[in-house]
Amino acid sequence: NALTTVEGDLLKLDEQLSKDAKLGEIFSSPLLNKAAKEKLIDSLGKKSEITTNFFKTLLENNRMAETRGVIAAYKSLMEAHRGIVSVVVTSANALNSKDLKQVKDNLTKGGLIKDFKEVNVVNKINPSILGGMVVEFGDYTIDMSVASRLAKIEKLLTDSISFEKTLTDLIQGLRANKRNETKYIQQPLSEIQREVQQSDMSQKSVAIDKLGYLHMLGYDMNWASFNVVEVMASPRFGEKRTGYLAAGQSFHQETDVLMLTTNLIHKDLASAKAMEVRVALDGLAQVATRDLAQDLLGDTLAVVGHPRPYIRKKALVCACRLVTRYPEGLHEFVPRLKERLDDPDPAMVASAVSVVCELARANPHN
């Protein structure tokens, strides 16, 4: 069928890109015009009409540099379609077949992968984790590495010398000093200012978390806008979520660092991890300016077709928010909105109807 045909085309191209590194460089080069790149695509062998049109779409949107990522994502989707799950086990040294089988058995017994017909376990070597292992599959990451444990110990040692170690400590201190809050708050604020300058992202994330709480009490946090963007870019989901939440609280139309978030949000919207896509949609809906809406509307509409219904709902609502900032995007949005009215998920249809009602209420004559 069409899915298998496209998969075959993409796997052949992936093999060619693996053998010829220069080919990938040509795809991503801004010096080569679209016509030349289109001829290059045609020269790479016979492909189905769907695959050809898909690559033309990538080319038109200047996304050829994302080709390897697209192929990897499609392979993951096809594996899920066939009931196959890939488990990546990262270790400091190569694991034998017995160890890999034990990992597979433990995941199956634990119920995490019981719904899949087949489980593929791949072992990757990364000496930097020192020992133990990191298991990744789907949206899950189970970090049992020695490096991770050492990082936690280091964090505990670092936190032990901090004035306000956590948000909980800060709240307890504020409650204990209600009569002298203004004077008391100066010391935690000074501590936060030092913490956000640290290279340790976990410490910086805790500082932004505390600063977000103080912002709700009326204290200004606009001075830390750049630090908020740094936390948004963290590869750890908990820290990333803290950054997006702080951005939603404190960013406004005139925040000067908003322009720095475009590529970051674009990357998170294209993430294979549903939780990262979700938090990016929530954050974008809060901070969107006209320029952000114009740049990221296409990425948001692409997520409207996400396989998970709750992500589709968030993407549709977020896109509605974007077209209120960028009305010229309505002609792109409305066809996708109509498609969702026929969505197989009833909750998705209800969301689509709500969006239609909201658009009609905002502009009944449109």
Side-chain angles (χ1 to χ4, degrees):
N1 57 27
L3 291 175
T4 307
T5 302
V6 172
E7 182 185 27
D9 293 339
L10 293 180
L11 290 177
K12 288 179 183 177
L13 178 58
D14 191 40
E15 185 178 353
Q16 290 173 306
L17 289 171
S18 298
K19 291 180 179 178
D20 189 352
K22 291 184 178 179
L23 186 60
E25 294 176 5
I26 293 173
F27 274 174
S28 58
S29 173
L31 302 178
L32 201 63
N33 60 39
K34 291 182 179 180
K37 288 183 180 180
E38 189 169 346
K39 288 182 180 179
L40 177 61
I41 293 171
D42 293 336
S43 70
L44 293 176
K46 186 177 180 181
K47 295 177 286 295
S48 68
E49 182 179 357
I50 297 175
T51 307
T52 301
N53 290 338
F54 171 69
F55 278 110
K56 287 182 179 179
T57 302
L58 283 182
L59 189 58
E60 287 297 323
N61 290 277
N62 294 318
R63 293 290 189 269
M64 288 303 296
E66 309 292 338
T67 300
R68 298 298 295 274
V70 169
I71 294 173
Y74 191 86
K75 287 166 66 177
S76 297
L77 290 173
M78 287 300 295
E79 286 181 350
H81 176 68
R82 295 180 178 125
I84 301 172
V85 60
S86 291
V87 178
V88 179
V89 181
T90 304
S91 57
N93 300 299
L95 299 177
N96 58 40
S97 57
K98 182 180 178 181
D99 292 333
L100 294 176
K101 183 178 184 302
Q102 186 175 359
V103 171
K104 177 179 176 181
D105 292 342
N106 288 340
L107 290 174
T108 304
K109 291 176 183 177
L112 292 174
I113 56 175
K114 63 180 180 179
D115 296 329
F116 294 94
K117 298 177 182 177
E118 183 180 340
V119 180
N120 292 332
V121 181
V122 179
N123 185 203
K124 288 188 176 181
I125 312 302
N126 182 4
S128 67
I129 71 171
L130 303 179
M133 64 180 67
V134 179
V135 181
E136 298 174 279
F137 58 96
D139 296 332
Y140 293 92
T141 299
I142 305 172
D143 192 344
M144 299 175 288
S145 65
V146 172
S148 173
R149 294 174 186 174
L150 290 175
K152 290 176 181 178
I153 293 172
E154 182 183 3
K155 182 177 182 300
L156 287 172
L157 292 173
T158 304
D159 286 348
S160 66
I161 61 173
S162 298
F163 177 73
E164 298 293 350
K165 293 187 286 293
T166 65
L167 175 59
T168 302
D169 295 327
L170 175 61
I171 295 173
Q172 290 174 347
L174 286 170
R175 289 176 177 174
N177 291 272
K178 287 183 179 179
R179 296 182 180 180
N180 199 20
E181 179 182 304
T182 304
K183 183 178 179 181
Y184 168 80
I185 207 70
Q186 297 309 313
Q187 192 169 354
L189 277 173
S190 298
E191 184 68 26
I192 290 171
Q193 288 174 347
R194 290 195 297 272
E195 288 176 342
V196 296
Q197 302 302 323
Q198 301 298 316
S199 59
D200 181 7
M201 187 58 69
S202 62
Q203 188 174 8
K204 189 173 296 190
S205 173
V206 171
I208 293 299
D209 203 15
K210 294 186 287 187
L211 198 55
Y213 179 79
L214 294 178
H215 180 74
M216 291 191 294
L217 298 181
Y219 294 91
D220 178 54
M221 67 174 291
N222 290 322
W223 58 268
S225 295
F226 181 76
N227 305 115
V228 171
V229 176
E230 288 182 306
V231 177
M232 289 170 64
S234 172
R236 298 186 182 93
F237 174 72
E239 295 166 3
K240 182 183 292 290
R241 180 175 54 188
T242 296
Y244 272 103
L245 178 60
Q249 284 182 276
S250 61
F251 286 8
H252 49 79
Q253 299 294 303
E254 285 74 37
T255 300
D256 52 3
V257 299
L258 269 175
M259 60 181 293
L260 302 177
T261 65
T262 304
N263 288 333
L264 168 62
I265 298 175
H266 161 71
K267 179 183 176 182
D268 288 337
L269 288 175
S271 173
K273 298 180 179 179
M275 299 299 286
E276 291 186 357
V277 178
R278 188 204 73 185
V279 77
L281 290 169
D282 289 341
L284 177 58
Q286 293 290 327
V287 305
T289 61
R290 177 181 173 83
D291 290 339
L292 273 179
Q294 183 176 359
D295 292 338
L296 295 172
L297 178 60
D299 298 287
T300 306
L301 291 178
V303 183
V304 171
H306 197 277
R308 301 199 177 192
Y310 78 96
I311 297 293
R312 296 202 297 272
K313 288 189 289 183
K314 284 184 175 290
L316 192 69
V317 174
C318 180
C320 178
R321 182 64 178 268
L322 296 185
V323 296
T324 62
R325 300 289 190 190
Y326 176 60
E328 293 87 343
L330 266 173
H331 70 280
E332 295 180 62
F333 176 54
V334 171
R336 302 306 301 271
L337 176 58
K338 289 180 179 179
E339 291 174 5
R340 293 306 106 197
L341 290 171
D342 293 323
D343 195 279
D345 184 73
M348 183 69 242
V349 176
S351 295
V353 171
S354 298
V355 169
V356 171
C357 293
E358 176 61 22
L359 292 174
R361 183 195 64 78
N363 189 357
H365 301 292
N366 190 328

